Amino acid sequence: MASKEVTSTDEFVKGLWRDNPVFVQVLGMCPALAVSNTAMNALAMGLATTFVLLMSGLSVSLLRGFIPREARIVCYICIIATFVTSVDYLIMALSLELHRALGAFIALIVVNCLILGRAEAFASKNKPGRALLDGLGMGVGFTVALLFIGVVREILGSGSIFGFAVFPDSFQTWTVMVLPSGGFFAMALWLLIVNRIKKKEAETEKAEATA
Amino acid sequence: MNDASHWSIFLNAALVNNFVLAYFLGICPFFGVSSKLETAVRMGGAVSFVMLVASVCAFLINLLLDAVNAPFLRIISYILVISSTVQLVEMLMKKLSPTTFRAMGIYLPLITTNCAILGLALFQTNRGYSFTQSVVYSLGAGIGFALALVLMAGVREKLELNEVPDLVKGTVAALVVAGILSMGFMGFAGLGR
């Protein structure tokens, strides 16, 4: 029992760092860059994606005995599209303003390669409980990555964080960070940092192995 | 209905709101196949073609969905109809013109459910474009995508010959190049609407 618990925590934790969807696998870049101009948008997008990941992972895992191999991608897309449509309407009901800010990008969750990738690579081969954990881990990892990018862009581009000003009025905002090119730069910055840490980790592991 | 002129729709889609550099749509193929100029040109052609097909499909589906009053089926029907139509066209093309098929056939399955394609379909619906406006919009978006891809490939081919630090090589360098290109395209803001 104890060993099973260790593996299930691992299913959850791997999405946070080792296999982080945005920074390590570089999946789901379109939404990561497009809606991360403020921290709030990034958080909303991350939560919406997490919900779709969880629900589609659960459904694919439950139906894995019934879906024929040849038609599996079509089935996955139908399942994912169903949940994306519900999220779209849910956000519209909760906050019309947020729905307007995210625009068509909520609907575009359906073509996020991360979700189809998890359905194909994990949920279709594992039990519902593990698929849920995997979906949750990947979703949280995705949300955190989006928040990182969003926070950098909002602090530098608007001088605020979640709408609260952090700099005095004299701060000259970096308009470029709010513009699309800022998304590319912020993402490049975080990737660089992650690469650097990963390289350090690999080096220490190597040193320990030889020692 | 939308009363924007065809010319301004075209310019807007191709330059001002370039799909890749302003909307971040189709980033995966943009980074995936932009390392060689020749593949970039072919991929650009294939994407433009699929966009045209998708735009026509989306317009017809939308008419049908409006008639039966079922807008909640929009996402699911767009994605299914567009991908199956592209598959059909691919088969037709294989039969009728093997040379064109060889030039861009292998890219078609990769892009059928790409976010740029679905994004195009959703944007044209949200803005209420008429049939000709939709077609012009898809042409503009396709040309804009191809342009961004070719520019990017040109820069990356040059980058190959330079010494780049290990940490920056690959995705990071590509992201920075894309960011600079995107800044360049900001210069078009103000053209069209």
Side-chain angles (χ1 to χ4, degrees):
Chain A
M1 210 53 207
S3 67
K4 192 171 173 274
E5 250 173 29
V6 172
T7 50
S8 48
T9 8
D10 191 52
E11 297 306 351
F12 174 68
V13 173
K14 72 170 192 264
L16 297 185
W17 170 249
R18 186 164 45 94
D19 290 330
N20 186 291
V22 179
F23 292 141
V24 179
Q25 304 183 55
V26 203
L27 287 177
M29 293 249 281
C30 311
L33 296 171
V35 295
S36 61
N37 49 358
T38 68
M40 195 58 216
N41 287 355
L43 184 64
M45 186 68 191
L47 290 180
T49 310
T50 308
F51 174 78
V52 177
L53 259 173
L54 273 177
M55 298 311 285
S56 63
L58 182 65
S59 321
V60 167
S61 176
L62 283 174
L63 294 172
R64 70 188 188 283
F66 300 98
I67 295 177
R69 261 201 79 71
E70 299 78 21
R72 65 187 194 287
I73 302 287
V74 180
C75 297
Y76 298 162
I77 289 180
C78 283
I79 292 172
I80 297 168
T82 312
F83 290 116
V84 171
T85 311
S86 20
V87 167
D88 194 27
Y89 280 76
L90 187 71
I91 294 182
M92 213 190 289
L94 289 176
S95 158
L96 209 54
E97 194 189 344
L98 189 64
H99 189 266
R100 213 164 286 142
L102 295 178
F105 285 99
I106 305 168
L108 288 175
I109 296 178
V110 77
V111 280
N112 189 332
C113 16
L114 169 65
I115 295 171
L116 194 60
R118 285 335 281 176
E120 164 82 8
F122 197 91
S124 62
K125 299 185 187 106
N126 286 284
K127 290 208 175 75
R130 295 183 61 140
L132 268 180
L133 273 176
D134 174 76
L136 190 64
M138 286 293 161
V140 173
F142 184 77
T143 311
V144 170
L146 236 68
L147 259 182
F148 274 30
I149 302 177
V151 164
V152 168
R153 288 181 71 183
E154 195 180 344
I155 289 180
L156 293 176
S158 321
S160 62
I161 179 166
F162 285 107
F164 300 108
V166 287
F167 287 120
D169 285 342
S170 58
F171 177 70
Q172 185 71 46
T173 53
W174 301 12
T175 316
V176 66
M177 293 309 277
V178 188
L179 294 179
S181 43
F184 287 115
F185 292 138
M187 173 93 184
L189 179 74
W190 283 113
L191 262 185
L192 194 63
I193 295 173
V194 170
N195 279 355
R196 169 90 186 142
I197 299 174
K198 290 253 164 197
K199 202 178 164 201
K200 268 269 151 63
E201 262 178 7
E203 271 169 9
T204 44
E205 251 170 47
K206 215 172 160 190
E208 273 167 15
T210 49
Chain B
M1 279 305 281
N2 194 307
D3 56 355
S5 78
H6 291 103
W7 182 235
S8 95
I9 290 176
F10 179 83
L11 270 187
N12 201 343
L15 297 175
V16 185
N17 286 319
N18 186 287
F19 262 55
V20 188
L21 297 170
Y23 285 148
F24 303 107
L25 295 172
I27 295 274
C28 307
F30 179 63
F31 286 135
V33 294
S34 65
S35 45
K36 277 217 188 70
L37 201 54
E38 202 199 324
T39 25
V41 172
R42 286 185 182 171
M43 180 73 177
V47 169
S48 308
F49 173 74
V50 176
M51 276 182 166
L52 189 63
V53 175
S55 167
V56 174
C57 287
F59 188 81
L60 297 177
I61 297 167
N62 201 36
L63 278 186
L64 184 70
L65 287 184
D66 273 350
V68 298
N69 205 4
F72 50 84
L73 287 177
R74 193 172 286 151
I75 301 175
I76 199 164
S77 42
Y78 274 7
I79 204 161
L80 290 180
V81 175
I82 290 172
S83 48
S84 39
T85 314
V86 172
Q87 217 116 84
L88 276 179
V89 173
E90 194 189 336
M91 285 181 212
L92 264 181
M93 197 195 273
K94 210 173 185 174
K95 192 93 188 151
L96 297 177
S97 158
T99 41
T100 356
F101 179 76
R102 263 200 299 280
M104 56 190 220
I106 51 164
Y107 302 107
L108 289 178
L110 290 176
I111 44 185
T112 42
T113 52
N114 175 293
C115 38
I117 310 295
L118 188 65
L120 174 99
L122 290 168
F123 285 144
Q124 78 175 36
T125 316
N126 289 349
R127 294 177 191 173
Y129 284 160
S130 71
F131 184 72
T132 46
Q133 279 174 324
S134 301
V135 170
V136 169
Y137 184 59
S138 71
L139 285 176
I143 289 173
F145 188 94
L147 182 67
L149 204 63
V150 168
L151 283 175
M152 182 77 178
V155 177
R156 284 183 79 176
E157 272 193 352
K158 292 271 179 221
L159 209 62
E160 286 280 290
L161 305 172
N162 290 294
E163 268 183 44
V164 180
D166 261 357
L167 278 180
V168 184
K169 218 172 226 165
T171 324
V172 179
L175 277 168
V176 173
V177 171
I180 296 170
L181 271 183
S182 160
M183 270 165 89
F185 270 69
M186 286 295 115
F188 291 118
L191 272 180
R193 266 196 292 168

